[in-house]
Amino acid sequence: DYYSSYYGAKLTSAQVDAYRSNGTLANCTNVVEPCNPNEPRRINGTCNNLNNPTRGATRTPYYRLLDASFVKASDSVFNPRVSACTGASLAGARDLRRTLLVDGRVEDDKLTHAVTHMSVFFATDITNTQDTTNYVVWRPYCCKPEGANDPQCAPNLVPADDYVHRFTNIGCLNMTKPLTFQTSGCLAQTTTPLRIVDATPLFDLSPVYGNVDEPARRTKSGGELRIETIDGIMFPPTSGLNLLLGVNFIGIIFFWRFHNHIAKKIAEVNPCWTDEQIFQTAREINIASGSQILYYELMATLMGADNLIADGVLAEDQSTFRDPYDPTVIPQISLEYPAVLRWMHLMQDGALKFYDSKGTYLNNSFPMVNLTSNINFIKRNGNMAYITQGCFRQPTGKVNDAVVDPDLLNLGLGGLQRSNDILTNDLAKNRYFGFPPYVKYREFCSGEKVTSFEDLSSIMPYWAIDALKSKYSCFEDIDLLAGVWMESIIDNGYVPPTFYCIVKEQLLHNIKSDRHWYERADRPNAFSEGIYTKN
Ligand code: HEM
């Protein structure tokens, strides 16, 4: 059956024909096989919510925590906010970024690269790269004259006195606006732009299993995933598969191999099981392990286990099941969630350092940013083993100091674009998503109204407030991400308070909206109590 990907409703054959004849069938509809309440979690995410079968699939809408804020230049043109007090355009994204964050490498004294490796992996579970492909591949010309005629172009201008680019001839950084239901022809251009989720919006290890069914990932025997072996080391095969192996490679390789490890163990004790039975069970255990690592290890470290227990995200006692499922909560990602996750770019070290098994740094490293296009180097010369050591030995970049790795600020896409400032894009994109000002999110998170710049002194230092004041005419103008960048980190954790608040909302939303959530006893293929408590 065909469903509208935006509205989620089942379509009549006349409606399907109308989509087909205007060429939007693939973009604007989801095809859903009839749901069986007892079947396991589908790879394409459909039928998670039995009343709303498409929700949980790709090409479905984000939801907004707060209503959109755009300036309507005409019926169909939605521009970014302008200053609430002067009516002028806000300072350019690169100008703001270079004022608020500076280039440099400072190491953290507690967190290791495992944190950034796993975080980026779980980020790509719920987002994907279409918006980046748009300016790298489809519209590489936004800084050229032809870009002026393309309404999708939104390049970032570099100030003439830029600390880096005054020494280059680069005055413009290529970028495009987010792809939306409107740009895909699914909704009228007169409606408020809304981005499309291009991944399944639940934590289901989709970087490993795909966002749609891809039988080519499987061996078709013993429930295993295909692998290629190079010098005795197993890797996911990258040729012939629609597998986006990039900066998220550690997570993909880890969970890919873990799937096959689990499958082998299952086959040992269940010699009569079919390939399908073993595959589905191994996938189920792998996803549960991933969710456990994401919630109880990664997020517990970053956000503070006690904080998350108090907010109901983590169970205090995992010795029994819990059932947070609520079918009225729809499987969806908030538009704000991946936007504030980008704050973690502040924590990313640009050098991937190689260590031996004794912990000695081998004086060799690889630029992380080059992994956006090609990860072949990890397959050679035993590099994977050195990087695996680095995963738990190399410190991340320090946060809370406004210092960001120079590669992320100037070479974000490796060789794919001559210069790319990931954090400038982060800020610029947050304007094109139409987020209301930062102080509205402060009110949403704390329940208290912000009435001046000085009110922010309880969550950020004075130098940070001064930096914001130097670029924003009034406190109502501050962009969401600019405010989050400047906040001090919370007690018992490593993240700023507004990051905590928005990420916590999403973590709660996912456990409530996911019928297949692993902590539930009452779901298809639920774990037995014995297996569950062994986690
Ligand atoms: C060196 C490592 C990294 C590189 C090279 C990198 C690169 C990028 C690039 C090029 C973008 C797209 C920017 C744009 O909008 O034009 C992006 C977005 C993003 N990155 Fe990273 N990143 C890295 C590390 C991380 C880490 C550690 C996280 C942790 C959560 C992360 C989370 C995200 C998220 C959530 C987005 C937004 C995705 C979306 O909204 O579709 N990244 N990154």
Side-chain angles (χ1 to χ4, degrees):
D1 294 331
Y2 282 92
Y3 287 75
S4 152
S5 51
Y6 177 75
Y7 295 105
K10 197 165 169 174
L11 297 169
T12 62
S13 51
Q15 288 169 318
V16 173
D17 287 345
Y19 279 112
R20 192 173 284 121
S21 65
N22 68 16
T24 56
L25 191 68
N27 273 346
C28 306
T29 65
N30 291 93
V31 180
V32 183
E33 298 293 322
C35 302
N36 168 357
N38 298 319
E39 69 186 315
R41 181 196 290 277
R42 290 186 182 177
I43 284 182
N44 68 18
T46 59
C47 295
N48 193 308
N49 187 302
L50 295 170
N51 298 322
N52 299 277
T54 67
R55 297 314 192 217
T58 60
R59 301 200 69 77
T60 51
Y62 283 89
Y63 75 101
R64 289 179 183 273
L65 289 176
L66 296 182
D67 287 345
S69 172
F70 285 106
V71 174
K72 261 187 111 168
S74 73
D75 256 10
S76 58
V77 176
F78 291 76
N79 285 333
R81 276 185 309 116
V82 293
S83 167
C85 44
T86 69
S89 301
L90 300 175
R94 170 82 177 189
D95 187 16
L96 264 159
R97 199 287 292 152
R98 61 142 193 190
T99 306
L100 302 179
L101 305 171
V102 300
D103 308 39
R105 280 191 178 154
V106 184
E107 292 189 338
D108 191 66
D109 51 12
K110 295 207 178 64
L111 301 181
T112 69
H113 258 211
V115 169
T116 41
H117 282 311
M118 283 296 151
S119 299
V120 75
F121 170 76
F122 285 112
T124 52
D125 191 333
I126 50 88
T127 61
N128 80 13
T129 53
Q130 292 254 319
D131 275 341
T132 309
T133 311
N134 194 10
Y135 63 84
V136 173
V137 183
W138 303 324
R139 292 181 169 84
Y141 51 69
C142 292
C143 288
K144 298 185 177 151
E146 64 241 66
N149 303 321
D150 187 335
Q152 277 287 298
C153 279
N156 291 301
L157 300 183
V158 177
D161 61 350
D162 192 90
Y163 310 139
V164 170
H165 289 309
R166 63 189 153 150
F167 301 112
T168 72
N169 60 357
I170 296 173
C172 174
L173 303 172
N174 191 43
M175 199 189 84
T176 44
K177 294 176 190 167
L179 296 166
T180 61
F181 282 99
Q182 286 75 11
T183 55
S184 299
C186 309
L187 288 182
Q189 298 291 337
T190 48
T191 53
T192 308
L194 183 59
R195 196 182 181 200
I196 301 172
V197 177
D198 267 313
T200 52
L202 286 167
F203 300 120
D204 57 359
L205 300 189
S206 37
V208 172
Y209 298 106
N211 289 305
V212 292
D213 291 307
E214 281 181 62
R217 294 190 185 212
R218 296 171 54 176
T219 57
K220 288 284 158 33
S221 81
E224 295 193 25
L225 291 167
R226 273 176 51 202
I227 49 156
E228 64 179 5
T229 306
I230 297 168
D231 297 337
I233 315 250
M234 287 184 297
F235 294 99
T238 37
S239 58
L241 298 188
N242 186 22
L243 181 68
L244 289 169
L245 205 56
V247 288
N248 55 2
F249 76 103
I250 282 274
I252 296 191
I253 294 171
F254 174 87
F255 285 106
W256 195 281
R257 290 174 175 173
F258 195 47
H259 174 98
N260 284 357
H261 171 77
I262 302 166
K264 284 191 172 68
K265 294 278 171 202
I266 294 174
E268 267 168 39
V269 288
N270 300 288
C272 303
W273 277 23
T274 62
D275 169 67
E276 184 66 14
Q277 272 176 306
I278 300 174
F279 177 80
Q280 292 298 354
T281 309
R283 176 167 168 262
E284 188 62 53
I285 295 172
N286 207 13
I287 292 174
S289 309
S291 303
Q292 176 78 14
I293 291 173
L294 172 65
Y295 274 63
Y296 287 87
E297 295 182 27
L298 179 61
M299 288 307 181
T301 302
L302 284 173
M303 296 168 67
D306 291 344
N307 300 329
L308 290 177
I309 289 171
D311 282 323
V313 175
L314 302 186
E316 188 160 16
D317 171 12
Q318 272 206 303
S319 63
T320 53
F321 293 105
R322 64 170 173 160
D323 197 349
Y325 183 58
D326 175 351
T328 64
V329 182
I330 303 297
Q332 271 181 312
I333 295 288
S334 76
L335 192 55
E336 289 87 348
Y337 174 67
V340 296
L341 272 192
R342 293 173 184 235
W343 169 85
M344 292 194 71
H345 288 143
L346 269 69
M347 192 185 270
Q348 180 69 55
D349 190 338
L352 191 59
K353 293 185 176 168
F354 294 12
Y355 294 78
D356 70 15
S357 58
K358 301 211 168 50
T360 311
Y361 175 47
L362 299 175
N363 216 8
N364 191 5
S365 69
F366 188 86
M368 279 291 285
V369 291
N370 288 2
L371 299 173
T372 44
S373 53
N374 185 357
I375 58 128
N376 281 339
F377 90 98
I378 62 168
K379 298 177 184 168
R380 296 192 296 264
N381 308 329
N383 288 345
M384 186 64 203
Y386 301 132
I387 298 165
T388 307
Q389 290 287 327
C391 183
F392 54 88
R393 297 188 189 279
Q394 180 182 350
T396 61
K398 191 171 167 57
V399 292
N400 228 11
D401 58 358
V403 178
V404 184
D405 193 283
D407 282 2
L408 275 96
L409 297 180
N410 298 296
L411 295 170
L413 286 164
L416 296 177
Q417 188 168 300
R418 191 167 157 227
S419 178
N420 174 283
D421 177 353
I422 297 176
L423 287 95
T424 287
N425 287 20
D426 293 347
L427 193 62
K429 289 278 171 79
N430 118 161
R431 290 178 178 175
Y432 288 108
F433 292 144
F435 291 151
Y438 163 71
V439 291
K440 294 285 176 215
Y441 287 93
R442 278 316 306 149
E443 287 168 30
F444 169 79
C445 291
S446 69
E448 282 169 28
K449 208 165 165 53
V450 178
T451 57
S452 66
F453 276 109
E454 283 65 31
D455 275 1
L456 300 173
S457 62
S458 57
I459 48 167
M460 60 180 77
Y462 276 105
W463 62 261
I465 296 177
D466 281 347
L468 290 170
K469 272 184 180 171
S470 74
K471 288 289 157 191
Y472 289 104
S473 306
C474 44
F475 69 89
E476 298 96 323
D477 289 350
I478 304 171
D479 292 287
L480 170 59
L481 209 59
V484 177
W485 284 345
M486 294 292 99
E487 289 179 355
S488 306
I489 58 173
I490 54 169
D491 292 339
N492 310 321
Y494 293 92
V495 298
T498 307
F499 176 106
Y500 180 91
C501 159
I502 290 172
V503 172
K504 174 205 75 180
E505 283 294 320
Q506 190 64 55
L507 297 177
L508 275 173
H509 191 99
N510 277 38
I511 59 177
K512 287 182 192 165
S513 63
D514 186 355
R515 191 165 58 87
H516 297 284
W517 182 248
Y518 75 108
E519 291 177 297
R520 302 187 67 212
D522 178 20
R523 66 183 179 104
N525 296 343
F527 296 128
S528 68
E529 190 138 13
I531 292 192
Y532 175 70
T533 52
K534 262 201 197 141
N535 58 39

